[in-house]
Amino acid sequence: MPEERIGYRRLYDSIGCSLADREELYIVVPMGDLNVEVYLGSKPKFGIAVSQSDKYIVPGEKSLLMTTEFKKDATESSHPRKFFTEIVCTKLVDVPQELSNAFHAKDQSANNKLLSIAEQNAKHLKTTTDLIAGTIGLRFHRQFVIEVLNENFIAKMDKDDYTFNFAGPGLELLENITLNPNGTQILDKFLQAIGQATPKAHEFGASTLLWLLHAWNERDTISKFMALFIPIEIILAGYGGNQEQEKKKQEKATQIRNLLTKHGGADPKHLLSFFNQILGQQRPSLASRFYEMAKESQIEGWEADVVAFKRFNSIRNKLLHQGKRKVQLTISVGEQETRQLEDIAERYVSWTLFRDGVVYQSRWRPQRSKGQKE
């Protein structure tokens, strides 16, 4: 069975960088079943694609969908800078003879099949690229890998002939939003109430909404996913977690204290002190505190929110504590899941600051007396 070389390529704009004693640098690094090629200079092997497009598409308005310029010789492109870092990770894969023949005959269907095989190896290829790029940035300077220009899956026919795919920047389709007269009145009401709130309430609201603003503007899926947890953590600060779970925890703690008292050897007091110190440092989990808040809110669908948030929090913990940069990203943290987490963050932050379309009294102003109307 013939072998074909497939892989992944990433091109960085090395802003402000250069080589002191030469025009370009080329390094080959064997890494297990991968072959890694690192190029620094003005003429990356796989050229450069320069794309221009609007960030958003607004219905009824003219939008620049995308214009793309590809230059095999990057020095001939319209890109303003001419020094790049290119990292190419490739591997040999066994393919059927028919596919190999069609590929070398430049059959487009065969090209697509080879590129599909490269995409199936994306995790291994991209992780290795991260390792090499991160090493360059950490040990030399981040400016060598400061901005990604192109990412491509590739299939090589020979030394200088290849096929690759290209994906430009994403565009977001927006809605047409019209604020009706009732909305203008409510907006004025909200803002006037916020203006009269205490400095402490202002600080709380600003610290929470700052991160929603950041998440709304974030295009990277992982960064957006992580940013959405911060406003949720802020509003959960006052919650103690699931009371039933906390009760069981205290019961188990009492049992352990009894065991230490009876069977703690010559120095049970120090063991008890150490145990109490460790126990005192533990806080209820974020998922447990979210359960308490959601249950208190009684927002429609809060039970489903609890289940979804528990799964999202588990993924986040793996990202934070286990270093798994893309934990089942294509399955567990796709656009739909990120939108669901965004919806959860928006609804519960809104519930904390505002309730039922009314400015939330305990945050933005003194409580109303009983029977007082809005």
Side-chain angles (χ1 to χ4, degrees):
M1 184 175 286
E3 293 181 322
E4 298 295 345
R5 186 168 290 278
I6 55 91
Y8 168 77
R9 172 260 198 162
R10 191 181 297 166
L11 182 69
Y12 289 95
D13 189 351
S14 302
I15 302 174
C17 298
S18 62
L19 298 170
D21 62 340
R22 65 191 73 189
E23 293 185 357
E24 55 187 7
L25 175 65
Y26 179 70
I27 301 172
V28 178
V29 185
M31 294 184 64
D33 62 336
L34 296 184
N35 188 66
V36 183
E37 300 169 71
V38 179
Y39 174 85
L40 280 73
S42 61
K43 295 186 177 183
K45 184 174 183 178
F46 291 91
I48 182 173
V50 180
S51 299
Q52 290 183 335
S53 68
D54 289 337
K55 190 175 181 180
Y56 303 106
I57 299 175
V58 183
E61 296 183 10
K62 290 184 178 180
S63 299
L64 176 62
L65 295 181
M66 184 182 296
T67 61
T68 302
E69 166 201 88
F70 175 77
K71 295 291 184 181
K72 172 65 177 173
D73 185 343
T75 63
E76 298 176 357
S77 77
S78 61
H79 189 72
R81 288 171 294 277
K82 307 301 179 185
F83 190 89
F84 310 94
T85 298
E86 181 182 56
I87 302 172
V88 183
C89 293
T90 61
K91 65 178 295 185
L92 291 171
V93 293
D94 294 328
V95 300
Q97 185 67 59
E98 299 80 13
L99 177 57
S100 179
N101 292 341
F103 176 58
H104 287 277
K106 300 185 184 299
D107 179 80
Q108 186 58 48
S109 177
N111 291 350
N112 293 337
K113 289 180 180 179
L114 264 295
L115 293 174
S116 176
I117 294 173
E119 291 188 43
Q120 293 169 21
N121 288 268
K123 182 178 180 180
H124 187 26
L125 295 167
K126 289 187 175 183
T127 298
T128 303
T129 304
D130 292 340
L131 173 62
I132 298 299
T135 299
I136 293 171
L138 179 65
R139 298 298 303 188
F140 295 90
H141 203 285
R142 70 183 184 93
Q143 287 177 215
F144 283 103
V145 290
I146 197 170
E147 183 177 345
V148 177
L149 293 176
N150 297 156
E151 292 183 273
N152 314 95
F153 288 103
I154 60 175
K156 300 179 68 173
M157 298 178 189
D158 53 44
K159 182 178 179 181
D160 298 313
D161 200 1
Y162 55 85
T163 184
F164 66 92
N165 63 6
F166 172 76
L171 284 79
E172 182 178 354
L173 177 62
L174 301 182
E175 302 175 62
N176 281 316
I177 306 298
T178 301
L179 192 64
N180 62 30
N182 184 52
T184 60
Q185 293 179 9
I186 293 174
L187 176 60
D188 180 69
K189 187 177 184 179
F190 281 177
L191 297 183
Q192 294 299 331
I194 290 172
Q196 297 171 15
T198 65
K200 185 176 181 180
H202 289 162
E203 182 180 356
F204 176 84
S207 65
T208 307
L209 296 173
L210 163 69
W211 286 101
L212 273 182
L213 289 168
H214 177 74
W216 287 334
N217 194 50
E218 181 58 62
R219 304 299 293 270
D220 179 76
T221 304
I222 297 176
S223 299
K224 182 169 186 143
F225 183 80
M226 299 299 283
L228 287 168
F229 275 90
I230 300 177
I232 296 175
E233 285 187 296
I234 293 173
I235 63 175
L236 289 177
Y239 287 88
N242 188 316
Q243 298 302 314
E244 292 183 5
Q245 291 182 4
E246 288 301 304
K247 183 179 179 181
K248 291 180 180 179
K249 175 181 170 182
Q250 291 302 322
E251 290 174 351
K252 291 179 180 178
T254 298
Q255 293 174 2
I256 293 173
R257 290 190 184 99
N258 291 336
L259 286 172
L260 291 174
T261 300
K262 293 179 180 180
H263 308 289
D267 199 4
K269 290 184 178 180
H270 280 84
L271 291 175
L272 279 169
S273 176
F274 181 68
F275 173 73
N276 289 331
Q277 182 181 359
I278 294 175
L279 192 66
Q281 294 173 349
Q282 293 184 341
R283 293 190 63 195
S285 69
L286 201 65
S288 176
R289 285 182 281 147
F290 182 86
Y291 170 83
E292 285 298 302
M293 179 182 66
K295 183 179 179 182
E296 180 187 347
S297 75
Q298 291 296 301
I299 292 175
E300 183 178 356
W302 70 267
E303 296 97 335
D305 291 338
V306 168
V307 175
F309 182 80
K310 185 175 181 180
R311 181 167 71 89
F312 295 148
N313 188 50
S314 175
I315 295 170
R316 175 192 183 244
N317 287 340
K318 291 175 181 177
L319 288 166
L320 283 174
H321 304 305
Q322 297 181 23
K324 295 182 179 179
R325 181 178 176 272
K326 293 192 176 181
V327 182
Q328 297 180 344
L329 184 58
T330 57
I331 300 173
S332 301
V333 196
E335 183 178 352
Q336 181 179 352
E337 288 75 17
T338 302
R339 286 184 181 274
Q340 186 179 1
L341 179 60
E342 183 176 16
D343 178 64
I344 288 173
E346 289 175 359
R347 285 188 290 115
Y348 286 94
V349 168
S350 182
W351 179 82
T352 302
L353 302 179
F354 315 94
R355 288 188 182 179
D356 300 324
V358 177
V359 178
Y360 183 22
Q361 56 213 24
S362 68
R363 289 298 182 193
W364 299 119
R365 63 181 182 185
Q367 274 194 321
R368 294 170 293 169
S369 59
K370 290 184 178 180
Q372 181 179 349
K373 294 182 178 180
E374 276 297 317

